[in-house]
Amino acid sequence: MERIVTSPQMKRLDQFTIQEMGMPSLVLMERAALAVTEELKKNFDTGRVLVVCGSGNNGGDGIAVARLLHLDNIQAEIFMAGKMESFTEETKTQWKIAEKYGVPVVKKPVFTEYTTIVDAVFGVGLSRKVEGRYEELLKKMEMSGVPVLAVDVPSGIDGSRGQVMGTAVHARQTVTFACAKAGLLLYPGAEYAGRVTVKDVGICTKPYPASHKGMFRITEEDYRWLPPRNPRGNKGTFGKVLVAAGSEDMCGAAYFAAKACLLAGAGMVRIFTEEHNRAVLQQLLPEALLTTYRKDEQPEALKKLLRQALDWADVAAAGPGLGTGTAADTLVSVLLTENKKPLVLDADGLNAVSRRRELLKQAAGPCILTPHMGEMARLTGLPVSVLKADPVGQLETFCGEYPVTCILKDARTVTKTADGTVFINTRGNSGMATAGSGDVLCGIAAGFLAAGTETQRAAPLAVDFHARAGDLAAKGKGEASVLASDILDAIPGVWRLLTAGAARKTAAGDFGGVP
């Protein structure tokens, strides 16, 4: 896993490194400046560079960058946007050093005269709306059209939530230190950050061990969480999934979810669906078993059928195309309150729960919810705009009330597990915003559970795996043309890539392998 931090967490890591580990702050600043300079020379036109600095330590980083460029015979100038009387001790020291080395300082820069601008105004320290002369400054930088490299966090972006604090600078690249900041990965901050490069500058992350319930990104190594496939196994060995999906003439969602289960590694799938879907599903997916019910089935008879199907299964998934009628309410109620096996609840299953939220507190077994923003708005009663403004915070509040793992789907999908860990997904593309894509994710999660993966690991892995499949599909067809069936078709390709990557790392002796 790759750790992600908020701005306050990053400040605590800085202070721990300086105060407890004894690393001088100026050493960290120098290493940060070296890291920025390296990326600047690699990726930007350094014909003439303007370094715009604030009064805090982000500005100190910038001053050091200007000095390093100057000593490398690159035309670099400092524009001090902050007030000198507000300098931190480190920034004051950097300013004095820059003066002695003769680094040029400009008081009224014409931004369009530069080939590159280094933004070192605020960094992670911004805590309020940008106003006054700083607002005017950031707007001038934006309007110049000159490529920007941001130091740590683009000025004007909340480093924890990714929100624009009034106005902000769009960077082509952001060089950040020690850990990725959540605000660089969440939209709209991700759009302003450009390409994010995380650099190790010596900041100690010891206060946050791997077991700490913080924020992370899934990496290829985390696929070790999936149990290895037993070479002597049979179809029962790899898990049986019951997919309750598809109301009358709504069989497509059931097909996507069920096929995704099988492609994700489940040994057997049984689709629990309305009778009208039988013939089509038998043709589309002959590998699946079927249990059907009539649309006018009496509730007690429907419950009996479902209980029998659940006895067969190891894992249940419910909701895709299920409809919003009485049958859906009945099925979801039984699956939550009577079923002790892992459950993935999606789409119309979530809509049923939004009408009876108390069912979540009565959940008999581990449960993964997979709402998109609209479904989450119905579950919480909050406007989508509020959810988008702070998805991590809203998920923490929701999961604090209900004992579930929740995958909040959006351009940046955020997963909060029942054990308190948050995962931010940065893979995927706009082509995945297509009908049926969420059904595929539901099926992948259920397939991973069927293999024996723990709920709190199956959820973020499924999100990452689904996004990898979406990226493969877009690579072949272009984002605008991706269909849910293309994401399904890309799943075997993801397995091949992961297996090839595992083989390479196993040969290098540093990775246990992907099953």
Side-chain angles (χ1 to χ4, degrees), residues 387-411:
L387 296 172
K388 282 181 173 285
D390 187 14
V392 174
Q394 294 300 336
L395 261 187
E396 288 177 339
T397 299
F398 179 78
C399 293
E401 186 174 357
Y402 302 107
V404 297
T405 290
C406 189
I407 297 171
L408 181 54
K409 298 180 294 192
D410 201 24

Side-chain angles (χ1 to χ4, degrees), residues 108-161:
K108 293 183 179 180
V110 178
F111 294 103
T112 54
E113 293 180 352
Y114 297 86
T115 60
T116 296
I117 295 173
V118 176
D119 166 24
V121 181
F122 294 129
V124 298
L126 184 65
S127 59
R128 61 179 182 270
K129 184 178 179 180
V130 178
E131 297 177 322
R133 63 188 184 88
Y134 283 112
E135 179 183 12
E136 183 180 351
L137 168 64
L138 298 190
K139 286 181 176 178
K140 285 181 178 179
M141 291 167 65
E142 275 284 275
M143 291 174 61
S144 72
V146 177
V148 173
L149 183 150
V151 178
D152 215 9
V153 176
S155 292
I157 294 297
D158 181 321
S160 298
R161 299 180 300 121

Side-chain angles (χ1 to χ4, degrees), residues 235-505:
K235 60 187 177 184
T237 304
F238 302 115
K240 296 175 285 187
V241 181
L242 176 67
V243 177
S247 55
E248 182 180 4
D249 298 326
M250 287 288 290
C251 60
Y255 162 74
F256 288 128
K259 186 168 183 179
C261 282
L262 292 169
L263 290 171
M268 301 176 71
V269 169
R270 181 182 297 274
I271 304 175
F272 192 90
T273 191
E274 207 275 334
E275 173 62 29
H276 282 82
N277 297 328
R278 177 186 292 276
V280 177
L281 287 172
Q282 284 177 330
Q283 291 180 357
L284 285 174
L285 194 63
E287 297 89 348
L289 302 171
L290 285 175
T291 296
T292 64
Y293 59 89
R294 303 186 311 274
K295 67 177 180 179
D296 59 352
E297 197 85 60
Q298 292 301 305
E300 288 307 312
L302 184 59
K303 290 179 182 179
K304 182 178 179 180
L305 281 171
L306 180 60
R307 288 169 184 145
Q308 290 172 345
L310 277 170
D311 285 342
W312 169 87
D314 301 308
V315 172
L322 199 58
T324 56
T326 303
D329 290 341
T330 300
L331 294 174
V332 170
S333 178
V334 171
L335 286 165
L336 276 170
T337 62
E338 297 183 23
N339 166 50
K340 295 183 179 180
K341 298 167 182 176
L343 169 67
V344 183
L345 203 58
D346 183 38
D348 286 332
L350 298 169
N351 292 329
V353 168
S354 69
R355 298 189 290 272
R356 295 180 60 194
R357 277 180 278 183
E358 71 277 4
L359 289 175
L360 291 178
K361 293 185 177 180
Q362 302 169 26
C367 183
I368 298 175
L369 308 184
T370 62
H372 57 56
M373 282 291 178
E375 291 160 347
M376 193 64 174
R378 290 189 282 276
L379 281 170
T380 61
L382 296 172
V384 169
S385 58
V386 171
L387 296 172
K388 282 181 173 285
D390 187 14
V392 174
Q394 294 300 336
L395 261 187
E396 288 177 339
T397 299
F398 179 78
C399 293
E401 186 174 357
Y402 302 107
V404 297
T405 290
C406 189
I407 297 171
L408 181 54
K409 298 180 294 192
D410 201 24
R412 284 287 188 260
T413 293
V414 180
T415 302
K416 172 84 172 182
T417 66
D419 70 356
T421 309
V422 173
F423 293 87
I424 299 177
N425 175 64
T426 56
R427 300 185 193 277
N429 59 83
S430 67
M432 301 178 73
T434 186
S437 177
D439 306 325
V440 175
L441 173 61
C442 174
I444 293 171
F448 285 178
L449 289 170
T453 312
E454 296 177 8
T455 306
Q456 64 267 25
R457 291 179 166 182
L461 275 183
V463 172
D464 181 83
F465 191 96
H466 179 247
R468 288 172 185 264
D471 284 341
L472 270 185
K475 185 177 181 180
K477 296 189 64 175
E479 293 183 17
S481 297
V482 171
L483 303 176
S485 55
D486 299 319
I487 301 175
L488 281 176
D489 291 342
I491 289 175
V494 176
W495 283 124
R496 287 193 294 271
L497 288 172
L498 289 171
T499 302
R504 288 193 298 272
K505 292 184 179 181

Side-chain angles (χ1 to χ4, degrees), residues 25-147:
S25 178
L26 282 170
V27 172
L28 295 176
M29 188 171 282
E30 197 71 13
R31 291 192 64 177
L34 285 166
V36 170
T37 303
E38 178 185 8
E39 292 299 313
L40 191 68
K41 291 192 287 188
K42 187 192 306 180
N43 300 318
F44 289 81
D45 181 349
T46 56
R48 187 180 181 191
V49 180
L50 179 67
V51 186
V52 184
C53 302
S55 303
N57 280 357
N58 194 247
D61 293 342
I63 295 169
V65 168
R67 168 172 47 82
L68 291 171
L69 293 173
H70 177 71
L71 292 175
D72 201 25
N73 295 316
I74 292 172
Q75 187 177 357
E77 300 170 6
I78 298 171
F79 173 55
M80 179 48 64
K83 297 178 180 178
M84 293 189 180
E85 58 267 28
S86 300
F87 277 1
T88 63
E89 287 302 313
E90 294 83 358
T91 301
K92 191 181 298 182
T93 299
Q94 290 289 0
W95 182 259
K96 290 178 181 178
I97 294 171
E99 281 185 322
K100 291 178 180 179
Y101 274 97
V103 181
V105 177
V106 60
K107 293 186 176 180
K108 293 183 179 180
V110 178
F111 294 103
T112 54
E113 293 180 352
Y114 297 86
T115 60
T116 296
I117 295 173
V118 176
D119 166 24
V121 181
F122 294 129
V124 298
L126 184 65
S127 59
R128 61 179 182 270
K129 184 178 179 180
V130 178
E131 297 177 322
R133 63 188 184 88
Y134 283 112
E135 179 183 12
E136 183 180 351
L137 168 64
L138 298 190
K139 286 181 176 178
K140 285 181 178 179
M141 291 167 65
E142 275 284 275
M143 291 174 61
S144 72
V146 177

